[in-house]
Amino acid sequence: MNPFPIDAVAYGNRLRSAPATEKVLFAAGAVALCVGFRSLAVTAVVVTIVTAVLRLRAGIGMRDFWGFLWLPSGFILTGVVPMAIEFLGPQTPGVLASVHIGSWHLGVTSRGLTQAMAILASSFGSLSGTLFLALTTPIVDITDQLRRWYVPVLFIDMMMLIYRFTFVLLATAGAMKTAQEVRLGYSTNRLWLRSVAMLASNLYLRSQMRAVSLFTALSCRGYSGELRVLVDRAPWSATRVLGIIGVHVLIGIWGVATRTWGWV
Amino acid sequence: MAVTVPSIDKAAPVTYPSPARREREEPAETLLEARGVTFSYPDGTVALNSLSIGIPRGRRVVVLGANGCGKSTLFLHFGGVLRPKSGEIVLDGQPVRYDRAGMTRLRQQVGLVFQDPDSQLFASSVRQDISFGPLNLGWSEAKVRDAVEAAIEATQIGDLADRPAHLLSYGQKKRVAIAGVLAMDPSVIIADEPTAGLDPESTARLVSLFNSLHDAGRTIVISTHDVELALAWADEVVVMRKGELLRTGHPTEVFQDPEVLAGARLQQPIVLETFGHLCHMGYIPTDAVPPRNANELAELIGCHCSPQPSAISSGFDPLRAGQSHHA
């Protein structure tokens, strides 16, 4: 069983075998548009398109997508709301609403609100773009793509090892926790704390041993400092790439238009 | 008198392909050798004590011995991971050098498969993991691709090639780990307890994989505690005790040596034990060729003992009876 639902979806969706180049391009374009325009309208269009592509092409339902989206969105909201609220002076212009707490005068100004909306738009849009990539593309395809783009090897090696050994670590921790549970290690609060501490320290030692044995095994296969693996050539279709770029450009033009002439 | 014994391959999955009769054969040249190797771990444990063992080329060798007798330490020496404190490891008649070129040569020739596949698999997909070893040998990309595909085919993991390691079963991980060293085209594949923790069917599949690698001309060395497997499968058995070589030889000879069995605390395989009883009781002549698996034992019994009339009339099937015993 796969303990990570996002990983499971990445391997099981209908866009799994689509060229990573195209998916990365689509996701990167979406993020760029949202960050570039910082406009709620543009973000709304992007998120709608991402949701539609996930639903129609990848077979990932809206409910699933938003299920993955709501938790990080919570973080964004808790960050954005305080941003909109600020301390007001006697002469602060454009106050939309305010409240006096003791000697403090707190309120929302139109400038602050616009700023908060811009942050919300760019971060929420980037989040949905990134999540699109995470849901449709397994890590192996993403690291391959990064290799093709000559991202530093050390960075990719770390990504690969962290990904692989997250699962090993999780399995080890799970087995240890079960072993503690069956011996009543979590039956009281006091024992719970003790067991968790033991688990953590043991897990650290295990990881060290795991690292040593990995190094040994890699050495036996000729490891000399670089984790080189074969990367398949990326098959991408010019038509689809042009289509993706076309959609992004259209959204871009529309975004510029709304900004310049105030269309919504 | 020719006796036909029904094949039990289909009836019971736990059968190892019967080895070809290679009783007294010409001594093969030694491919890999430990000469007077002594090794102790930093905590002072002496793991190998002036051990000398030769692995003959093209043979299937099983290394037996209690836990902690030094099997894994020996394998790590063969793989160039550990360096003898004294003595030397010899590959193809040349002492192994521990510089970069020497290590590359050793590691290309000697494929080490670790007991825990999770310590060997690191990449995000099976195919990438297998490509790691051959790429380190500096081969061209085309050659690496061919080697990877050949290893995937030989180990029958084509349907797993694009999966990540965490979506594989234990038995599948074992096969991937073997493919990873096979892709480097080694002369000898050394596997540390490859069948430990595998179900009978996976074990049988693994053994037949080793057989196909052996048929392709590779030397296979495995360690195990499964004496039945060692008897049925090995061309040669090596028994170790406390870092020393106790005995090496043909499996039927080694398993009939009471001193070895007692010294290494080995259990005699049931097939040989039964054979011994039948010889002792006079049902089978004592000079008969000792059987190596249930089939051969049944053949011997069929040759020398006549069936009970009642058993024939009732359609008695000794194999079925044997099965219900196992269950």
Side-chain angles (χ1 to χ4, degrees):
Chain A
M1 204 206 78
N2 196 328
F4 293 116
I6 291 186
D7 191 65
V9 173
Y11 277 99
N13 76 89
R14 281 195 272 126
L15 275 179
R16 154 80 173 93
S17 53
T21 317
E22 297 169 13
K23 290 184 280 190
V24 172
L25 187 69
F26 179 72
V31 172
L33 283 170
C34 297
V35 173
F37 281 105
R38 299 169 134 236
S39 130
L40 276 181
V42 170
T43 294
V45 172
V46 167
V47 172
T48 309
I49 291 176
V50 165
T51 310
V53 171
L54 282 176
R55 175 76 197 81
L56 301 174
R57 295 294 310 279
I60 301 167
M62 217 173 116
R63 191 183 286 258
D64 285 333
F65 176 52
W66 285 83
F68 287 119
L69 211 51
W70 77 262
L71 184 68
S73 302
F75 283 107
I76 293 178
L77 279 177
T78 48
V80 165
V81 170
M83 223 176 268
I85 300 166
E86 54 190 302
F87 289 102
L88 301 176
Q91 239 87 76
T92 313
V95 177
L96 300 174
S98 67
V99 65
H100 289 275
I101 301 172
S103 57
W104 294 344
H105 189 200
L106 290 171
V108 179
T109 63
S110 58
R111 196 179 54 97
L113 193 66
T114 317
Q115 244 175 14
M117 286 302 182
I119 300 279
L120 179 70
S122 66
S123 51
F124 188 71
S126 323
L127 176 66
S128 62
T130 316
L131 197 57
F132 169 83
L133 193 63
L135 287 174
T136 56
T137 319
I139 289 284
V140 58
D141 295 349
I142 295 177
T143 49
D144 272 12
Q145 193 62 41
L146 296 179
R147 273 179 222 278
R148 283 186 216 109
W149 288 341
Y150 300 105
V151 170
V153 172
L154 182 68
F155 180 74
I156 297 170
D157 285 357
M158 289 302 294
M159 239 177 111
M160 187 164 64
L161 288 180
I162 289 170
Y163 176 68
R164 167 80 183 98
F165 286 95
T166 301
F167 291 93
V168 176
L169 192 76
L170 219 64
T172 314
M176 279 186 196
K177 180 152 186 284
T178 311
Q180 289 178 321
E181 255 172 353
V182 296
R183 286 178 290 160
L184 302 176
Y186 292 91
S187 46
T188 67
N189 285 341
R190 221 170 68 85
L191 282 172
W192 183 89
L193 198 65
R194 198 168 147 256
S195 297
V196 167
M198 278 168 69
L199 181 83
S201 59
N202 240 319
L203 212 51
Y204 173 74
L205 288 175
R206 283 280 187 100
S207 308
Q208 292 287 320
M209 282 159 67
R210 182 66 77 184
V212 171
S213 57
L214 175 71
F215 180 75
T216 306
L218 291 183
S219 300
C220 283
R221 292 202 281 158
Y223 175 66
S224 55
E226 190 191 334
L227 294 169
R228 294 214 298 150
V229 293
L230 267 189
V231 178
D232 284 320
R233 274 173 213 87
W236 46 272
S237 101
T239 337
R240 278 197 302 262
V241 165
L242 283 177
I244 292 167
I245 295 176
V247 169
H248 288 332
V249 167
L250 280 179
I251 300 174
I253 291 172
W254 177 75
V256 171
T258 48
R259 179 159 297 178
T260 318
W261 295 294
W263 301 349
V264 173
Chain B
M1 169 178 155
V3 176
T4 51
V5 174
S7 160
I8 57 169
D9 277 12
K10 287 194 186 72
V14 202
T15 55
Y16 311 114
S18 287
R21 286 250 173 229
R22 316 166 59 131
E23 312 296 326
R24 321 276 178 269
E25 74 179 306
E26 312 269 305
E29 66 168 299
T30 304
L31 170 65
L32 190 60
E33 203 180 344
R35 279 189 198 153
V37 170
T38 296
F39 183 84
S40 55
Y41 283 100
D43 65 354
T45 319
V46 179
L48 299 178
N49 192 4
S50 54
L51 176 75
S52 294
I53 284 181
I55 305 294
R57 185 186 286 279
R59 296 281 175 84
R60 292 172 295 191
V61 180
V62 169
V63 181
L64 293 160
N67 291 330
C69 73
K71 297 186 297 271
S72 302
T73 309
L74 174 67
F75 288 178
L76 290 174
H77 276 83
F78 282 151
V81 176
L82 297 177
R83 227 178 137 155
K85 297 268 192 271
S86 67
E88 59 189 5
I89 303 293
V90 180
L91 174 66
D92 264 334
Q94 291 172 15
V96 168
R97 284 179 300 120
Y98 290 85
D99 54 13
R100 185 178 272 256
M103 281 298 100
T104 304
R105 178 172 165 269
L106 181 73
R107 283 161 177 172
Q108 189 271 313
Q109 290 286 306
V110 180
L112 207 54
V113 181
F114 290 83
Q115 188 179 345
D116 178 7
D118 272 329
S119 69
Q120 190 170 332
L121 308 179
F122 71 96
S124 321
S125 87
V126 165
R127 184 175 273 114
Q128 287 200 342
D129 200 283
I130 299 171
S131 72
F132 173 72
L135 278 172
N136 289 332
L137 293 173
W139 293 353
S140 71
E141 198 182 306
K143 189 175 175 186
V144 171
R145 275 182 203 283
D146 289 347
V148 170
E149 293 312 317
I152 287 174
E153 200 189 316
T155 50
Q156 297 173 355
I157 50 170
D159 49 335
L160 313 174
D162 294 314
R163 282 203 218 167
H166 61 266
L167 295 185
L168 306 179
S169 73
Y170 188 68
Q172 289 169 334
K173 282 182 191 169
K174 287 255 177 186
R175 299 176 84 76
V176 173
I178 293 170
V181 303
L182 183 61
M184 298 172 78
D185 192 23
S187 309
V188 52
I189 290 178
I190 301 180
D192 198 357
E193 300 203 21
T195 63
L198 288 185
D199 62 49
E201 198 186 334
S202 306
T203 305
R205 277 190 70 186
L206 198 65
V207 170
S208 76
L209 168 61
F210 283 136
N211 277 334
S212 64
L213 299 179
H214 173 254
D215 290 342
R218 289 179 217 278
T219 308
I220 312 284
V221 181
I222 66 169
S223 65
T224 184
H225 295 295
D226 183 346
V227 287
E228 307 291 339
L229 169 64
L231 174 70
W233 184 77
D235 297 319
E236 188 161 327
V237 168
V238 171
V239 184
M240 288 177 65
R241 185 186 59 175
K242 292 181 181 166
E244 290 172 8
L245 177 66
L246 198 59
R247 165 129 199 219
T248 164
H250 190 271
T252 54
E253 287 165 11
V254 171
F255 283 123
Q256 284 182 307
D257 184 337
E259 274 175 43
V260 172
L261 294 175
R265 300 203 184 136
L266 282 177
Q267 192 120 42
Q268 192 175 38
I270 291 174
V271 169
L272 272 187
E273 198 184 336
T274 312
F275 171 74
H277 288 318
L278 290 172
C279 287
H280 186 70
M281 290 150 72
Y283 287 108
I284 296 176
T286 44
D287 60 349
V289 177
R292 295 181 56 180
N293 54 36
N295 266 340
E296 290 184 12
L297 179 63
E299 255 175 64
L300 270 178
I301 297 171
C303 277
H304 298 286
C305 315
S306 45
Q308 300 287 313
S310 59
I312 296 176
S313 61
S314 68
F316 175 76
D317 183 344
L319 295 170
R320 289 261 170 74
Q323 257 192 324
S324 63
H325 255 296
H326 279 295

